[in-house]
Amino acid sequence: MGLFAAFYAGIRGMTCRIVDSLPQLGGQLVALYPEKYVYDVAGFPKVRAKELAAGFVAQGLQFGAEVVTRETASSLRREGEGWMIGTDSGLALPTKTVILSAGAGAFSPTKLGAGNEAEMEGRGLQYGVQDTEALRERDVLVVGGGDSAFDWAIHLHGIASQVRLLHRRDEFRAHEETVRQARDLGIELVLWKSVVSVLGDDVVTGVRVKDHQGGPEDEIACDAIVVNIGFKSNLGPIRDWGLEIEKNQIVVDHLQRTNLTGVFAAGDVCTREGKLKLIATGAGEAATAVCVAKTVIDPDARLFPGHSSDIDVDALRG
């Protein structure tokens, strides 16, 4: 939601700087599931995540926001009437207000905990999918039982030469309709198994699996493994900034204000009563945070700027 906040800051005639630890803008949409379709964004019956992210980038940067990537915001301290953000490389970035839109925080994929896993990462073993074409005509084993695992198995059907889904139980976290779709496509479900070790020297050649119903260990041949067993998130240094935190989320009020004056939060990083974790609601939270931040900077400013159709956007772009 940081990019939408940058866009709305431009609408309000405010300067803006985006600080992102990732090498490219777009957040989880491009980092976790770029090829997946998103269905619950207003105005789009369906849109591929990376295309939605590209739209956010184009929209967010049109007013000249400064972009600082590959930098982790490591500290926040009061500086006069504003704030100073410090980064892990030593940058000192002054600002009058802060909007935190760090998603679920710093995230890393949950690993299999299998032998030879680290050695095979990038050699046929991957966490999620960045490029579906790289898996064309490959024998793919998807590991997991949630929506992401089933979504990728379905998406790769017809691209890979074979797709199988391996799960340690016969019950799934995925939606029933998604499971039904996978079965209807004929995707083989390898159940009651978990990966003990990844086979191969230079590249993946298969996996050795444990049978959770008491059978012997077995080997399954494949040349690509897509692991989708979840992600671990962590607020990292944000936890030490004096913010009120509840269950790894920043507590905000109905105006997206944190307990620190001039510091706001929007999107998945924050929580309040009635919170819905959706892109659609996150955009509204970002707009609210920006408009309230405007009144902090300029107490005479109106909270609501009017509808964009009534604003001379070209003039704002300069």
Side-chain angles (χ1 to χ4, degrees), residues 20-317:
D20 199 322
S21 62
L22 297 174
Q24 64 184 112
L25 298 176
Q28 296 181 31
L29 291 172
V30 294
L32 298 186
Y33 48 93
E35 295 288 346
K36 287 179 65 176
Y37 282 107
V38 180
Y39 298 92
D40 56 1
V41 177
F44 293 93
K46 71 175 184 177
V47 58
R48 207 180 295 273
K50 66 180 181 182
E51 294 165 357
L52 180 60
F56 275 127
V57 171
Q59 182 184 50
L61 301 186
Q62 62 184 306
F63 297 109
E66 179 186 347
V67 177
V68 180
T69 56
R70 299 180 187 272
E71 289 282 353
T72 298
S74 56
S75 64
L76 179 71
R77 71 174 188 272
R78 207 55 159 141
E79 190 86 358
E81 296 184 356
W83 295 92
M84 182 69 72
I85 295 174
T87 73
D88 54 353
S89 73
L91 293 180
L93 307 173
T95 183
K96 293 181 179 179
T97 56
V98 178
I99 299 177
L100 301 170
S101 56
F107 50 85
S108 59
T110 302
K111 303 297 179 70
L112 294 168
N116 211 28
E117 179 177 5
E119 292 79 2
M120 289 296 101
E121 185 173 345
R123 299 182 178 183
L125 184 148
Q126 59 194 69
Y127 304 92
V129 178
Q130 292 293 316
D131 180 10
T132 56
E133 284 302 309
L135 296 174
R136 184 169 292 280
E137 299 304 321
R138 305 279 293 277
D139 185 347
V140 179
L141 182 69
V142 178
V143 181
D147 283 311
S148 291
F150 273 90
D151 285 347
W152 278 123
I154 292 168
H155 188 81
L156 292 170
H157 178 76
I159 295 175
S161 61
Q162 178 176 220
V163 180
R164 287 168 288 176
L165 186 142
L166 181 145
H167 187 48
R168 63 174 57 241
R169 298 187 298 274
D170 64 351
E171 297 179 351
F172 310 104
R173 300 184 307 278
H175 290 107
E176 292 179 359
E177 175 61 23
T178 308
V179 176
R180 183 199 62 75
Q181 186 179 354
R183 292 184 187 277
D184 287 349
L185 287 172
I187 294 171
E188 181 183 351
L189 304 182
V190 183
L191 305 178
W192 297 106
K193 311 284 186 184
S194 62
V195 177
V196 174
S197 61
V198 181
L199 306 178
D201 294 320
D202 295 328
V203 295
V204 167
T205 58
V207 293
R208 187 165 187 81
V209 296
K210 175 182 177 179
D211 188 308
H212 289 272
Q213 291 184 310
E217 290 189 359
D218 195 9
E219 293 185 0
I220 299 174
C222 63
D223 58 20
I225 305 168
V226 177
V227 180
N228 281 280
I229 55 176
F231 284 84
K232 299 175 181 178
S233 64
N234 192 328
L235 288 177
I238 293 176
R239 278 191 166 277
D240 301 323
W241 292 2
L243 294 157
E244 183 181 353
I245 306 292
E246 182 180 293
K247 295 181 179 179
N248 207 43
Q249 296 172 302
I250 300 167
V251 176
V252 297
D253 64 10
H254 66 291
L255 295 178
Q256 305 304 130
R257 297 176 297 194
T258 70
N259 60 303
L260 302 180
T261 301
V263 180
F264 304 82
D268 288 352
V269 76
C270 67
T271 186
R272 57 179 167 77
E273 185 179 359
K275 166 79 176 183
L276 295 176
K277 287 190 175 184
L278 297 171
I279 294 174
T281 54
E285 293 172 0
T288 297
V290 168
C291 288
V292 179
K294 176 71 173 182
T295 65
V296 171
I297 296 170
D298 179 7
D300 295 327
R302 296 170 55 192
L303 178 64
F304 178 55
H307 298 103
S308 62
S309 55
D310 298 325
I311 297 173
D312 188 347
V313 176
D314 289 333
L316 291 173
R317 292 194 189 101

